Structures are given as structure tokens and as C-alpha cells.
Amino acid sequence: MDRWAPFPYECAGCWRDLTELRALWPQLHRGDCEPWPLEPAVQQAWQLFHAGRFREAYEAGLAAGGAGLHCANKAEVVQARYLERREGIKMARWWAVVERGAALRDAQPYSANAWFWPTYALGLYALGLSLPEARAQGLLAQVKLGLETTLHLQPRHADAWLALAVYHAEIVAKLGRRAARAQGADAATAMACFEKAQELNPGSAIVRVERAQGLLLLEGRRRLAQADALFAEAAAIEPQDAVERLHRELACADPVTP
């Protein structure tokens, strides 16, 4: 397997014993609603994940199987999105999660995250293509269906609401409002989904970052003050694990001003 870029930041307190991890679990997983795993091997995989040891978490999740595959998928998606710099490797990692998705959904058809993480990976993969290519391959429709299925199974899945908001915002920004409607995307739905994600996960930095970026995509300079306020709020949130640290770093980076 290709080398994985390591987690590059100091993160005091990111390594937690299992008792501490279980106590923080509802907060750490408010976004994806992943239930506390019963199997010790899966608990240990998540312990590695929250400490930023993403490759080890991925390998441990794969070895554990079952619910451990959710940890493996999330670790691969997160590491590729935030730490991998090589575009070809990013795309390959996201596609590997997509390919595991069909078997996982067959094995766990009522698990929201059996749907969500492969769908989220597919969305990132589609964004790496040109929009005409993604549309021609039917990827946009698959992403929308997968996110809507996730929300049917778990209506409080804030990460799925956030991903659906980004889906609508990206298509509107790239196609224009009229053409986007043909793909089932519109700006009003994007705004409503951003609001729902923040309502369900009010302490999340990444919700604020994605919402700020969505506002800039959809409304440009008219929303600059609101976007800057969201970035500032996100940067002020104290991270509880390695992923939240990555989100804060993203919030502290200078946003692109339209």
C-alpha cells in the first residue's frame, strides 16, 4: 500500500483510554450518529482514529470487519481529504471506499453509515472530475440518492445534511441556478440543509467552515461578513480529537474571497 501522510499536528489529549473515549463518544460522533461499538477490536480502531493514527485505524477497522469497516472508511476518507497532497492518490483512496460500499450496504442495509461514507467518498471523487464527466457517469444522481437514503435511515445525521448542502451548492455554483434544477439542485435547499446540519451539530467547526464556503459559492461578496463570522467561530472551537484539530486548521486558513 502507498505511504500515508501522517497527522502533522500536536493534539494534546487526542489519545484517550476507552473509558474516556466512550464518555466523549456522543460529542465526537454527533455528526455521523455512529453507535458505540460493542466489539473491543472496533473500539480500538476508533481509539486510533480519534488520535489521528489514520492508517492504523484503517487497518484495524478492516481487520475487525463488520462495524469496523465504518472506521476504516472514515479514516481513509479523512486522511485523503485533509492530509494527502497527491491528487491521483486522493482519487484512488476515495474510489476504494466507494468499491467497498456495495458489499457493506448488502451486509448492513439499515446502517446509515454503510450508506454515508461510501457516498461521501463518491461525492469527493465526483468533485475531482469535471462536472460533465461526473454527470455522464451518473455519479451526481448516485450521490444524491445515497445521501437521501442515509437521511431516511437516520434523520439526525448532521454530516449527511452537510454533504447534501454542499452537493446543492457546488452544482448551483458550477451550472447556474436554472441548469442546476435539472440535476435536482437549488440554492434554497442548500441553505436549508446547512442550517439543519448546524442545528443538529451546533458545536462543529466543519459545519461552520462548509457553510461559510457554501455562502461564498452561492452569494459571493454579499455574504462575506457572515462567512467571516462563521470562520472565526470555527477557529475558536477547542478540538476534542485529531479530526476536530484538522477542521480548526481549515477554519484558520485564509478563505478565498470571491
Side-chain angles (χ1 to χ4, degrees), residues 4-57:
W4 287 37
F7 181 76
Y9 305 110
E10 290 294 327
C11 191
C14 283
W15 180 262
R16 303 180 184 278
D17 65 36
L18 292 176
T19 300
E20 292 175 315
L21 182 60
R22 184 166 191 176
L24 273 176
W25 190 266
Q27 176 182 335
L28 293 173
H29 287 272
R30 187 166 292 167
D32 66 5
C33 299
E34 180 71 16
W36 173 255
L38 301 179
E39 303 87 346
V42 181
Q43 295 170 11
Q44 290 159 12
W46 282 111
Q47 189 178 31
L48 292 163
F49 173 85
H50 289 292
R53 294 162 63 176
F54 297 124
R55 181 167 183 173
E56 293 170 79

Short mmCIF file of all heavy atoms in Angstrom, two decimals, residues 4-57:
data_model
loop_
_atom_site.label_atom_id
_atom_site.label_comp_id
_atom_site.label_asym_id
_atom_site.label_seq_id
_atom_site.Cartn_x
_atom_site.Cartn_y
_atom_site.Cartn_z
N TRP A 4 1.03 6.65 3.66
CA TRP A 4 0.02 7.61 4.08
C TRP A 4 0.72 8.78 4.79
O TRP A 4 1.53 8.57 5.68
CB TRP A 4 -0.97 6.99 5.07
CG TRP A 4 -1.94 6.03 4.47
CD1 TRP A 4 -1.72 5.13 3.47
CD2 TRP A 4 -3.31 5.86 4.86
NE1 TRP A 4 -2.85 4.42 3.22
CE2 TRP A 4 -3.84 4.83 4.05
CE3 TRP A 4 -4.12 6.46 5.81
CZ2 TRP A 4 -5.16 4.40 4.17
CZ3 TRP A 4 -5.43 6.03 5.93
CH2 TRP A 4 -5.95 5.01 5.11
N ALA A 5 0.38 9.99 4.41
CA ALA A 5 0.91 11.15 5.12
C ALA A 5 0.40 11.13 6.55
O ALA A 5 -0.79 10.94 6.80
CB ALA A 5 0.48 12.43 4.42
N PRO A 6 1.28 11.33 7.54
CA PRO A 6 0.85 11.25 8.94
C PRO A 6 0.13 12.52 9.40
O PRO A 6 0.23 13.57 8.77
CB PRO A 6 2.17 11.08 9.70
CG PRO A 6 3.17 11.80 8.83
CD PRO A 6 2.73 11.55 7.41
N PHE A 7 -0.57 12.40 10.50
CA PHE A 7 -1.19 13.55 11.14
C PHE A 7 -0.07 14.48 11.63
O PHE A 7 0.80 14.05 12.39
CB PHE A 7 -2.05 13.08 12.30
CG PHE A 7 -2.77 14.17 13.04
CD1 PHE A 7 -3.89 14.76 12.48
CD2 PHE A 7 -2.33 14.61 14.27
CE1 PHE A 7 -4.57 15.77 13.16
CE2 PHE A 7 -2.99 15.61 14.95
CZ PHE A 7 -4.12 16.20 14.39
N PRO A 8 -0.05 15.75 11.20
CA PRO A 8 1.14 16.58 11.41
C PRO A 8 1.11 17.50 12.63
O PRO A 8 2.07 18.25 12.84
CB PRO A 8 1.17 17.42 10.13
CG PRO A 8 -0.28 17.63 9.81
CD PRO A 8 -0.99 16.37 10.26
N TYR A 9 0.04 17.48 13.43
CA TYR A 9 -0.11 18.49 14.47
C TYR A 9 0.01 17.88 15.86
O TYR A 9 -0.26 16.70 16.08
CB TYR A 9 -1.48 19.18 14.36
CG TYR A 9 -1.76 19.76 13.01
CD1 TYR A 9 -2.73 19.21 12.17
CD2 TYR A 9 -1.05 20.86 12.54
CE1 TYR A 9 -2.99 19.73 10.92
CE2 TYR A 9 -1.29 21.40 11.28
CZ TYR A 9 -2.26 20.83 10.49
OH TYR A 9 -2.51 21.34 9.25
N GLU A 10 0.39 18.74 16.79
CA GLU A 10 0.28 18.37 18.20
C GLU A 10 -1.20 18.37 18.57
O GLU A 10 -1.95 19.25 18.16
CB GLU A 10 1.03 19.38 19.07
CG GLU A 10 2.55 19.31 18.92
CD GLU A 10 3.13 18.01 19.43
OE1 GLU A 10 2.57 17.46 20.40
OE2 GLU A 10 4.11 17.53 18.83
N CYS A 11 -1.60 17.39 19.32
CA CYS A 11 -3.02 17.31 19.70
C CYS A 11 -3.10 16.74 21.12
O CYS A 11 -3.33 15.55 21.31
CB CYS A 11 -3.79 16.43 18.71
SG CYS A 11 -5.59 16.52 18.91
N ALA A 12 -2.85 17.61 22.08
CA ALA A 12 -2.86 17.18 23.47
C ALA A 12 -4.23 16.58 23.82
O ALA A 12 -5.26 17.18 23.58
CB ALA A 12 -2.56 18.36 24.38
N GLY A 13 -4.19 15.38 24.39
CA GLY A 13 -5.44 14.75 24.79
C GLY A 13 -6.14 13.96 23.72
O GLY A 13 -7.20 13.39 23.97
N CYS A 14 -5.57 13.89 22.50
CA CYS A 14 -6.25 13.14 21.44
C CYS A 14 -6.23 11.64 21.70
O CYS A 14 -7.14 10.93 21.28
CB CYS A 14 -5.61 13.44 20.08
SG CYS A 14 -6.10 15.04 19.40
N TRP A 15 -5.18 11.15 22.35
CA TRP A 15 -5.17 9.73 22.70
C TRP A 15 -5.92 9.57 24.02
O TRP A 15 -5.53 10.12 25.05
CB TRP A 15 -3.75 9.17 22.84
CG TRP A 15 -3.80 7.72 23.20
CD1 TRP A 15 -3.67 7.17 24.44
CD2 TRP A 15 -4.05 6.63 22.32
NE1 TRP A 15 -3.83 5.82 24.40
CE2 TRP A 15 -4.06 5.44 23.12
CE3 TRP A 15 -4.28 6.52 20.95
CZ2 TRP A 15 -4.27 4.19 22.56
CZ3 TRP A 15 -4.49 5.27 20.42
CH2 TRP A 15 -4.48 4.12 21.20
N ARG A 16 -6.98 8.82 23.99
CA ARG A 16 -7.80 8.63 25.18
C ARG A 16 -7.98 7.14 25.44
O ARG A 16 -8.06 6.34 24.50
CB ARG A 16 -9.18 9.27 24.98
CG ARG A 16 -9.10 10.77 24.65
CD ARG A 16 -10.48 11.37 24.47
NE ARG A 16 -10.40 12.76 24.07
CZ ARG A 16 -10.21 13.77 24.90
NH1 ARG A 16 -10.08 13.52 26.19
NH2 ARG A 16 -10.14 15.01 24.47
N ASP A 17 -8.03 6.80 26.73
CA ASP A 17 -8.34 5.40 27.02
C ASP A 17 -9.81 5.16 26.67
O ASP A 17 -10.57 6.10 26.41
CB ASP A 17 -8.00 5.02 28.46
CG ASP A 17 -8.84 5.76 29.51
OD1 ASP A 17 -10.05 6.01 29.26
OD2 ASP A 17 -8.30 6.07 30.57
N LEU A 18 -10.20 3.91 26.65
CA LEU A 18 -11.53 3.58 26.14
C LEU A 18 -12.64 4.13 27.03
O LEU A 18 -13.73 4.45 26.53
CB LEU A 18 -11.66 2.07 25.97
CG LEU A 18 -10.80 1.48 24.84
CD1 LEU A 18 -10.92 -0.04 24.82
CD2 LEU A 18 -11.18 2.07 23.49
N THR A 19 -12.38 4.26 28.31
CA THR A 19 -13.39 4.85 29.20
C THR A 19 -13.62 6.31 28.84
O THR A 19 -14.77 6.77 28.73
CB THR A 19 -12.95 4.73 30.66
OG1 THR A 19 -12.78 3.34 30.99
CG2 THR A 19 -13.99 5.35 31.60
N GLU A 20 -12.54 7.06 28.63
CA GLU A 20 -12.66 8.46 28.22
C GLU A 20 -13.32 8.57 26.86
O GLU A 20 -14.16 9.45 26.63
CB GLU A 20 -11.27 9.10 28.17
CG GLU A 20 -10.58 9.28 29.50
CD GLU A 20 -9.17 9.80 29.33
OE1 GLU A 20 -8.43 9.28 28.46
OE2 GLU A 20 -8.80 10.73 30.06
N LEU A 21 -12.92 7.69 25.93
CA LEU A 21 -13.49 7.74 24.59
C LEU A 21 -14.99 7.50 24.62
O LEU A 21 -15.76 8.20 23.95
CB LEU A 21 -12.80 6.72 23.69
CG LEU A 21 -13.27 6.69 22.23
CD1 LEU A 21 -13.04 8.02 21.54
CD2 LEU A 21 -12.57 5.57 21.46
N ARG A 22 -15.42 6.53 25.42
CA ARG A 22 -16.86 6.25 25.49
C ARG A 22 -17.61 7.45 26.06
O ARG A 22 -18.73 7.77 25.61
CB ARG A 22 -17.12 5.01 26.32
CG ARG A 22 -18.60 4.64 26.33
CD ARG A 22 -18.89 3.27 26.84
NE ARG A 22 -20.26 2.90 26.60
CZ ARG A 22 -20.78 1.71 26.89
NH1 ARG A 22 -20.01 0.77 27.41
NH2 ARG A 22 -22.04 1.45 26.64
N ALA A 23 -17.03 8.13 27.05
CA ALA A 23 -17.70 9.28 27.64
C ALA A 23 -17.85 10.42 26.63
O ALA A 23 -18.85 11.14 26.64
CB ALA A 23 -16.91 9.76 28.86
N LEU A 24 -16.85 10.57 25.76
CA LEU A 24 -16.88 11.64 24.76
C LEU A 24 -17.59 11.24 23.47
O LEU A 24 -17.81 12.09 22.61
CB LEU A 24 -15.45 12.07 24.40
CG LEU A 24 -14.81 13.14 25.27
CD1 LEU A 24 -13.38 13.35 24.84
CD2 LEU A 24 -15.57 14.44 25.19
N TRP A 25 -17.92 9.97 23.35
CA TRP A 25 -18.44 9.44 22.09
C TRP A 25 -19.64 10.22 21.55
O TRP A 25 -19.67 10.57 20.36
CB TRP A 25 -18.80 7.96 22.27
CG TRP A 25 -19.13 7.26 21.00
CD1 TRP A 25 -20.37 7.07 20.45
CD2 TRP A 25 -18.19 6.65 20.11
NE1 TRP A 25 -20.27 6.35 19.28
CE2 TRP A 25 -18.94 6.09 19.04
CE3 TRP A 25 -16.81 6.51 20.10
CZ2 TRP A 25 -18.34 5.41 17.98
CZ3 TRP A 25 -16.21 5.83 19.05
CH2 TRP A 25 -16.97 5.30 18.00
N PRO A 26 -20.66 10.52 22.36
CA PRO A 26 -21.80 11.26 21.81
C PRO A 26 -21.40 12.60 21.19
O PRO A 26 -21.99 13.02 20.19
CB PRO A 26 -22.72 11.44 23.02
CG PRO A 26 -22.35 10.33 23.95
CD PRO A 26 -20.87 10.15 23.78
N GLN A 27 -20.43 13.27 21.80
CA GLN A 27 -19.99 14.54 21.25
C GLN A 27 -19.18 14.33 19.97
O GLN A 27 -19.40 15.02 18.97
CB GLN A 27 -19.12 15.27 22.28
CG GLN A 27 -18.51 16.57 21.76
CD GLN A 27 -17.62 17.23 22.79
OE1 GLN A 27 -17.79 17.03 24.00
NE2 GLN A 27 -16.68 18.04 22.33
N LEU A 28 -18.25 13.37 19.99
CA LEU A 28 -17.38 13.15 18.84
C LEU A 28 -18.15 12.64 17.63
O LEU A 28 -17.75 12.88 16.49
CB LEU A 28 -16.27 12.17 19.20
CG LEU A 28 -15.25 12.65 20.24
CD1 LEU A 28 -14.31 11.52 20.63
CD2 LEU A 28 -14.46 13.85 19.71
N HIS A 29 -19.25 11.92 17.88
CA HIS A 29 -20.00 11.31 16.78
C HIS A 29 -21.39 11.92 16.61
O HIS A 29 -22.28 11.29 16.03
CB HIS A 29 -20.06 9.79 16.97
CG HIS A 29 -18.76 9.14 16.69
ND1 HIS A 29 -18.38 8.71 15.44
CD2 HIS A 29 -17.70 8.90 17.50
CE1 HIS A 29 -17.16 8.22 15.49
NE2 HIS A 29 -16.72 8.32 16.73
N ARG A 30 -21.55 13.15 17.08
CA ARG A 30 -22.82 13.84 16.86
C ARG A 30 -23.07 14.04 15.37
O ARG A 30 -24.21 14.05 14.92
CB ARG A 30 -22.83 15.18 17.58
CG ARG A 30 -24.17 15.89 17.54
CD ARG A 30 -24.20 17.03 18.54
NE ARG A 30 -24.18 16.52 19.89
CZ ARG A 30 -23.96 17.27 20.97
NH1 ARG A 30 -23.69 18.55 20.84
NH2 ARG A 30 -23.98 16.73 22.17
N GLY A 31 -22.01 14.18 14.60
CA GLY A 31 -22.17 14.40 13.17
C GLY A 31 -22.62 13.18 12.41
O GLY A 31 -23.48 13.28 11.52
N ASP A 32 -22.04 12.01 12.73
CA ASP A 32 -22.35 10.82 11.92
C ASP A 32 -23.22 9.80 12.64
O ASP A 32 -23.58 8.77 12.04
CB ASP A 32 -21.06 10.16 11.41
CG ASP A 32 -20.19 9.56 12.50
OD1 ASP A 32 -20.59 9.55 13.68
OD2 ASP A 32 -19.07 9.11 12.17
N CYS A 33 -23.58 10.05 13.91
CA CYS A 33 -24.50 9.17 14.65
C CYS A 33 -24.03 7.72 14.74
O CYS A 33 -24.85 6.81 14.89
CB CYS A 33 -25.91 9.22 14.05
SG CYS A 33 -26.66 10.86 14.09
N GLU A 34 -22.73 7.51 14.64
CA GLU A 34 -22.20 6.15 14.75
C GLU A 34 -22.40 5.66 16.19
O GLU A 34 -21.99 6.33 17.14
CB GLU A 34 -20.71 6.13 14.39
CG GLU A 34 -20.05 4.77 14.48
CD GLU A 34 -20.50 3.80 13.38
OE1 GLU A 34 -21.07 4.25 12.37
OE2 GLU A 34 -20.27 2.58 13.54
N PRO A 35 -23.03 4.49 16.38
CA PRO A 35 -23.23 3.99 17.74
C PRO A 35 -21.93 3.48 18.34
O PRO A 35 -21.01 3.06 17.62
CB PRO A 35 -24.24 2.85 17.56
CG PRO A 35 -24.07 2.42 16.15
CD PRO A 35 -23.67 3.64 15.37
N TRP A 36 -21.83 3.53 19.67
CA TRP A 36 -20.67 2.98 20.36
C TRP A 36 -20.56 1.50 20.03
O TRP A 36 -21.51 0.74 20.17
CB TRP A 36 -20.81 3.18 21.86
CG TRP A 36 -19.73 2.49 22.67
CD1 TRP A 36 -19.87 1.35 23.40
CD2 TRP A 36 -18.36 2.89 22.79
NE1 TRP A 36 -18.68 1.01 23.99
CE2 TRP A 36 -17.72 1.94 23.63
CE3 TRP A 36 -17.62 3.94 22.27
CZ2 TRP A 36 -16.37 2.03 23.98
CZ3 TRP A 36 -16.27 4.03 22.61
CH2 TRP A 36 -15.66 3.09 23.45
N PRO A 37 -19.40 1.05 19.52
CA PRO A 37 -19.27 -0.35 19.10
C PRO A 37 -19.14 -1.29 20.30
O PRO A 37 -18.52 -0.94 21.32
CB PRO A 37 -17.98 -0.35 18.27
CG PRO A 37 -17.18 0.80 18.81
CD PRO A 37 -18.18 1.84 19.23
N LEU A 38 -19.69 -2.47 20.17
CA LEU A 38 -19.62 -3.46 21.24
C LEU A 38 -18.34 -4.28 21.19
O LEU A 38 -17.87 -4.76 22.22
CB LEU A 38 -20.83 -4.40 21.14
CG LEU A 38 -22.21 -3.73 21.25
CD1 LEU A 38 -23.32 -4.78 21.11
CD2 LEU A 38 -22.34 -2.96 22.56
N GLU A 39 -17.75 -4.42 19.99
CA GLU A 39 -16.59 -5.28 19.84
C GLU A 39 -15.32 -4.54 20.26
O GLU A 39 -15.05 -3.44 19.78
CB GLU A 39 -16.44 -5.74 18.39
CG GLU A 39 -17.65 -6.46 17.82
CD GLU A 39 -18.68 -5.49 17.22
OE1 GLU A 39 -18.58 -4.26 17.48
OE2 GLU A 39 -19.57 -5.97 16.51
N PRO A 40 -14.50 -5.13 21.13
CA PRO A 40 -13.26 -4.47 21.56
C PRO A 40 -12.34 -4.09 20.41
O PRO A 40 -11.72 -3.02 20.44
CB PRO A 40 -12.61 -5.50 22.49
CG PRO A 40 -13.77 -6.29 23.03
CD PRO A 40 -14.74 -6.38 21.89
N ALA A 41 -12.27 -4.91 19.38
CA ALA A 41 -11.37 -4.61 18.25
C ALA A 41 -11.83 -3.35 17.52
O ALA A 41 -11.01 -2.56 17.04
CB ALA A 41 -11.31 -5.79 17.29
N VAL A 42 -13.15 -3.15 17.43
CA VAL A 42 -13.67 -1.96 16.76
C VAL A 42 -13.45 -0.74 17.65
O VAL A 42 -13.11 0.35 17.16
CB VAL A 42 -15.15 -2.14 16.41
CG1 VAL A 42 -15.69 -0.91 15.69
CG2 VAL A 42 -15.35 -3.38 15.54
N GLN A 43 -13.64 -0.88 18.94
CA GLN A 43 -13.35 0.22 19.86
C GLN A 43 -11.90 0.68 19.72
O GLN A 43 -11.61 1.89 19.69
CB GLN A 43 -13.61 -0.22 21.30
CG GLN A 43 -15.06 -0.54 21.61
CD GLN A 43 -15.24 -1.19 22.97
OE1 GLN A 43 -14.31 -1.23 23.78
NE2 GLN A 43 -16.44 -1.70 23.24
N GLN A 44 -10.99 -0.28 19.61
CA GLN A 44 -9.57 0.07 19.49
C GLN A 44 -9.28 0.75 18.16
O GLN A 44 -8.43 1.66 18.09
CB GLN A 44 -8.72 -1.18 19.68
CG GLN A 44 -8.73 -1.69 21.11
CD GLN A 44 -8.34 -3.15 21.26
OE1 GLN A 44 -7.85 -3.77 20.32
NE2 GLN A 44 -8.57 -3.70 22.44
N ALA A 45 -9.98 0.36 17.10
CA ALA A 45 -9.80 1.02 15.80
C ALA A 45 -10.21 2.49 15.92
O ALA A 45 -9.51 3.39 15.43
CB ALA A 45 -10.62 0.31 14.73
N TRP A 46 -11.35 2.75 16.57
CA TRP A 46 -11.79 4.14 16.74
C TRP A 46 -10.86 4.92 17.66
O TRP A 46 -10.67 6.13 17.49
CB TRP A 46 -13.22 4.17 17.28
CG TRP A 46 -14.26 3.90 16.23
CD1 TRP A 46 -15.07 2.81 16.13
CD2 TRP A 46 -14.61 4.75 15.14
NE1 TRP A 46 -15.89 2.92 15.04
CE2 TRP A 46 -15.65 4.10 14.41
CE3 TRP A 46 -14.16 5.99 14.70
CZ2 TRP A 46 -16.22 4.66 13.27
CZ3 TRP A 46 -14.73 6.54 13.56
CH2 TRP A 46 -15.76 5.89 12.86
N GLN A 47 -10.29 4.25 18.65
CA GLN A 47 -9.31 4.91 19.52
C GLN A 47 -8.14 5.43 18.69
O GLN A 47 -7.69 6.57 18.86
CB GLN A 47 -8.84 3.89 20.56
CG GLN A 47 -7.97 4.46 21.68
CD GLN A 47 -7.61 3.38 22.68
OE1 GLN A 47 -7.47 2.21 22.33
NE2 GLN A 47 -7.45 3.77 23.94
N LEU A 48 -7.66 4.63 17.75
CA LEU A 48 -6.59 5.06 16.85
C LEU A 48 -7.05 6.21 15.95
O LEU A 48 -6.33 7.17 15.72
CB LEU A 48 -6.14 3.87 15.99
CG LEU A 48 -5.41 2.75 16.73
CD1 LEU A 48 -5.39 1.49 15.88
CD2 LEU A 48 -3.97 3.18 17.08
N PHE A 49 -8.27 6.11 15.44
CA PHE A 49 -8.80 7.14 14.55
C PHE A 49 -8.83 8.50 15.24
O PHE A 49 -8.36 9.50 14.70
CB PHE A 49 -10.21 6.76 14.09
CG PHE A 49 -10.90 7.83 13.31
CD1 PHE A 49 -10.70 7.95 11.94
CD2 PHE A 49 -11.74 8.75 13.94
CE1 PHE A 49 -11.32 8.96 11.21
CE2 PHE A 49 -12.37 9.75 13.22
CZ PHE A 49 -12.14 9.86 11.85
N HIS A 50 -9.39 8.56 16.44
CA HIS A 50 -9.55 9.84 17.11
C HIS A 50 -8.21 10.42 17.54
O HIS A 50 -8.12 11.63 17.79
CB HIS A 50 -10.51 9.70 18.29
CG HIS A 50 -11.93 9.51 17.86
ND1 HIS A 50 -12.65 10.49 17.23
CD2 HIS A 50 -12.76 8.43 17.94
CE1 HIS A 50 -13.87 10.05 16.95
NE2 HIS A 50 -13.96 8.80 17.37
N ALA A 51 -7.19 9.60 17.61
CA ALA A 51 -5.85 10.08 17.93
C ALA A 51 -5.09 10.55 16.69
O ALA A 51 -3.95 11.00 16.80
CB ALA A 51 -5.05 9.00 18.64
N GLY A 52 -5.70 10.43 15.51
CA GLY A 52 -5.04 10.86 14.28
C GLY A 52 -4.15 9.81 13.67
O GLY A 52 -3.40 10.11 12.72
N ARG A 53 -4.23 8.59 14.13
CA ARG A 53 -3.42 7.50 13.57
C ARG A 53 -4.27 6.79 12.51
O ARG A 53 -4.72 5.67 12.68
CB ARG A 53 -2.95 6.59 14.70
CG ARG A 53 -1.98 7.31 15.64
CD ARG A 53 -1.81 6.65 16.98
NE ARG A 53 -1.23 5.31 16.89
CZ ARG A 53 -0.91 4.57 17.95
NH1 ARG A 53 -1.11 5.06 19.17
NH2 ARG A 53 -0.41 3.36 17.80
N PHE A 54 -4.47 7.51 11.42
CA PHE A 54 -5.50 7.12 10.46
C PHE A 54 -5.18 5.82 9.74
O PHE A 54 -6.07 5.01 9.51
CB PHE A 54 -5.74 8.26 9.46
CG PHE A 54 -6.26 9.51 10.09
CD1 PHE A 54 -5.62 10.72 9.93
CD2 PHE A 54 -7.41 9.48 10.87
CE1 PHE A 54 -6.10 11.88 10.51
CE2 PHE A 54 -7.91 10.63 11.46
CZ PHE A 54 -7.24 11.83 11.29
N ARG A 55 -3.94 5.62 9.35
CA ARG A 55 -3.64 4.36 8.66
C ARG A 55 -3.81 3.17 9.59
O ARG A 55 -4.37 2.14 9.19
CB ARG A 55 -2.22 4.39 8.10
CG ARG A 55 -1.89 3.09 7.36
CD ARG A 55 -0.65 3.16 6.54
NE ARG A 55 -0.46 1.91 5.81
CZ ARG A 55 0.48 1.72 4.90
NH1 ARG A 55 1.30 2.70 4.58
NH2 ARG A 55 0.58 0.57 4.29
N GLU A 56 -3.35 3.31 10.83
CA GLU A 56 -3.54 2.22 11.79
C GLU A 56 -5.02 1.97 12.05
O GLU A 56 -5.45 0.82 12.19
CB GLU A 56 -2.82 2.55 13.09
CG GLU A 56 -1.30 2.60 12.98
CD GLU A 56 -0.67 3.16 14.24
OE1 GLU A 56 -0.55 2.40 15.22
OE2 GLU A 56 -0.32 4.36 14.22
N ALA A 57 -5.80 3.05 12.12
CA ALA A 57 -7.24 2.90 12.32
C ALA A 57 -7.88 2.19 11.14
O ALA A 57 -8.75 1.32 11.30
CB ALA A 57 -7.88 4.27 12.52
#
